[in-house]
């Protein structure tokens, strides 16, 4: 697989990473542990070097899974994890106090079976802790060799600037895809100005842009998407136009809708590294195929014109979660 550098940091990763959350968190029945470990190792063998987890996924069990799977391959991979919530639970509220960041780092190092965290994100901006204190704490962890790079997740432009002034931010992680383009307004320009890489999570619209679900697809009660307005049956029906567009473009390129969605993201900037997740080997292989799919200038203009005629229906988060982003 081709590689990319996250901004000016020098951190080089595979052009497509692997979002590990869905292996055992938020999307219904977890993948059996040994199957998940096998899938992660197969991803490495296929060229993926960038893996994303967090203490709140599980909580804790996703880091343990990633640690066990990647420990034998540690020097071949880049592992990102996150801090920022009380007792490892997003429902418990935020906590980015310096002492808590340090506690999370130590616990994550143990669960990940490693001596360093390659990329340590603040999971959400904590309004009660100055960003300078957060960035300064991670700067100290970098000086101690426990962390290699600093990242932010779902942060707004002002917070990015404040953090970067204390400790250079290597990557900003936020949702970004054909059906959520908000980062283009302010965040991507700031990343380009400051030399910060951008890591889109949910680059396939939490599975919707793959074309494998429609308005009638059932969602289990423990599936995070069942609480998202954009995944109501009515919204999915309205948003089918976007999937149909991907299907038409894919047919002309001998590619799947998912591959077109990922190739489009990769074509936006050379420092963008999407992290699709999956629980299936054939989907992993499909996603990886997108890294070799080239969209020319004319094709990108055609896609842009077509997207301009589609209005996506439904909010991407329920209100209580939307309140914590772009701070």
């Amino acid at each position: 697989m081709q590689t990319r550098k996250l901004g000016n940091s020098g951190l080089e990763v595979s052009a497509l990473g692997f979002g590990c959350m869905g292996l055992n968190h938020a999307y219904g029945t977890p993948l059996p542990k040994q199957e998940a470990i096998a899938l992660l190792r197969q991803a490495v063998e296929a060229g993926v070097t960038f893996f994303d987890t967090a203490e709140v996924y599980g909580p804790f069990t996703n880091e343990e899974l990633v640690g066990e799977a990647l420990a034998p391959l540690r020097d071949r991979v880049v592992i990102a994890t996150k801090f920022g919530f009380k007792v490892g639970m997003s429902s418990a509220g935020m906590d980015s106090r310096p002492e808590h960041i340090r506690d999370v780092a130590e616990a994550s190092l143990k669960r990940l079976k490693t001596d360093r965290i390659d990329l340590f994100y603040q999971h959400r901006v904590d309004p009660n802790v100055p960003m300078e204190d957060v960035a300064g704490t991670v700067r100290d962890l970098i000086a101690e060799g426990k962390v290699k790079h600093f990242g932010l997740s779902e942060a707004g432009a002002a917070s990015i600037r404040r953090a970067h002034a204390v400790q250079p931010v290597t990557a900003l992680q936020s949702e970004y895809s054909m059906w959520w383009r908000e980062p283009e307004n302010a965040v991507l320009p700031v990343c380009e100005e400051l030399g910060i890489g951008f890591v889109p999570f949910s680059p396939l619209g939490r599975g919707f842009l793959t074309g494998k679900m429609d308005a009638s697809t059932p969602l289990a009660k423990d599936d995070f998407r069942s609480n998202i307005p954009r995944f109501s049956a009515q919204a999915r029906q309205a948003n089918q136009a976007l999937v149909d567009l991907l299907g038409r473009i894919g047919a002309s390129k001998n590619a799947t809708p998912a591959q077109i969605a990922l190739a489009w993201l990769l074509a936006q900037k050379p420092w963008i590294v999407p992290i699709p997740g999956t629980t299936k080997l054939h989907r992993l292989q499909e996603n990886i195929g997108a890294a070799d799919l080239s969209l020319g200038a004319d094709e990108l203009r055609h896609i842009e014109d077509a997207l301009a005629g589609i209005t996506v229906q439904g909010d991407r988060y329920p209100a209580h979660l939307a309140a914590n982003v772009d701070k």
Side-chain angles (χ1 to χ4, degrees), residues 129-208:
V129 180
M131 181 56 75
E132 290 78 5
D133 293 352
V134 174
T137 302
V138 178
R139 178 192 59 202
D140 293 344
L141 289 168
I142 291 172
E144 295 165 19
K146 296 177 180 178
V147 170
K148 296 298 184 184
H149 295 271
F150 176 37
L152 298 172
S153 179
E154 296 273 41
S159 291
I160 296 169
R161 290 185 184 279
R162 288 175 63 187
H164 194 72
V166 176
Q167 168 60 43
V169 177
T170 291
L172 188 284
Q173 179 187 100
S174 286
E175 184 172 352
Y176 182 39
S177 69
M178 281 187 172
W179 83 341
W180 179 255
R181 300 181 64 179
E182 180 66 24
E184 295 173 357
N185 295 332
V187 170
L188 284 177
V190 168
C191 287
E192 185 154 37
E193 174 192 341
L194 300 179
I196 297 171
F198 190 84
V199 178
F201 66 77
S202 300
L204 297 175
R206 303 185 191 278
F208 187 74

Side-chain angles (χ1 to χ4, degrees), residues 42-155:
Q42 288 167 320
V44 177
E45 295 308 318
V48 177
T49 66
F50 187 32
F51 294 85
D52 181 273
T53 183
E55 64 161 356
V56 296
Y57 302 161
F60 311 126
T61 56
N62 197 260
E63 282 188 326
E64 292 169 350
L65 173 65
V66 171
E68 184 171 345
L70 300 181
L73 308 166
R74 184 63 185 94
D75 291 336
R76 296 170 58 183
V77 298
V78 170
I79 298 176
T81 192
K82 309 176 192 75
F83 64 87
F85 290 107
K86 296 177 181 177
V87 296
M89 297 179 65
S90 58
S91 60
M94 298 180 192
D95 187 353
S96 281
R97 293 171 299 137
E99 58 270 31
H100 185 66
I101 296 173
R102 284 188 164 277
D103 288 345
V104 173
E106 295 296 341
S108 291
L109 286 167
K110 291 178 182 177
R111 287 190 291 267
L112 291 168
K113 300 182 185 298
T114 186
D115 62 350
R116 78 277 188 192
I117 296 167
D118 296 305
L119 178 56
F120 204 28
Y121 290 106
Q122 183 187 34
H123 211 150
R124 293 291 186 272
V125 173
D126 187 339
N128 297 314
V129 180
M131 181 56 75
E132 290 78 5
D133 293 352
V134 174
T137 302
V138 178
R139 178 192 59 202
D140 293 344
L141 289 168
I142 291 172
E144 295 165 19
K146 296 177 180 178
V147 170
K148 296 298 184 184
H149 295 271
F150 176 37
L152 298 172
S153 179
E154 296 273 41

Side-chain angles (χ1 to χ4, degrees), residues 18 39 87 114 146 149 163 202 214 246 258 286 299 308:
F18 192 115
L39 183 63
V87 296
T114 186
K146 296 177 180 178
H149 295 271
S202 300
D214 57 25
L246 288 169
E286 177 185 351
E299 291 171 315

Side-chain angles (χ1 to χ4, degrees), residues 295-303:
L295 295 174
D298 290 343
E299 291 171 315
L300 289 168
R301 278 194 293 271
H302 169 68
I303 292 172

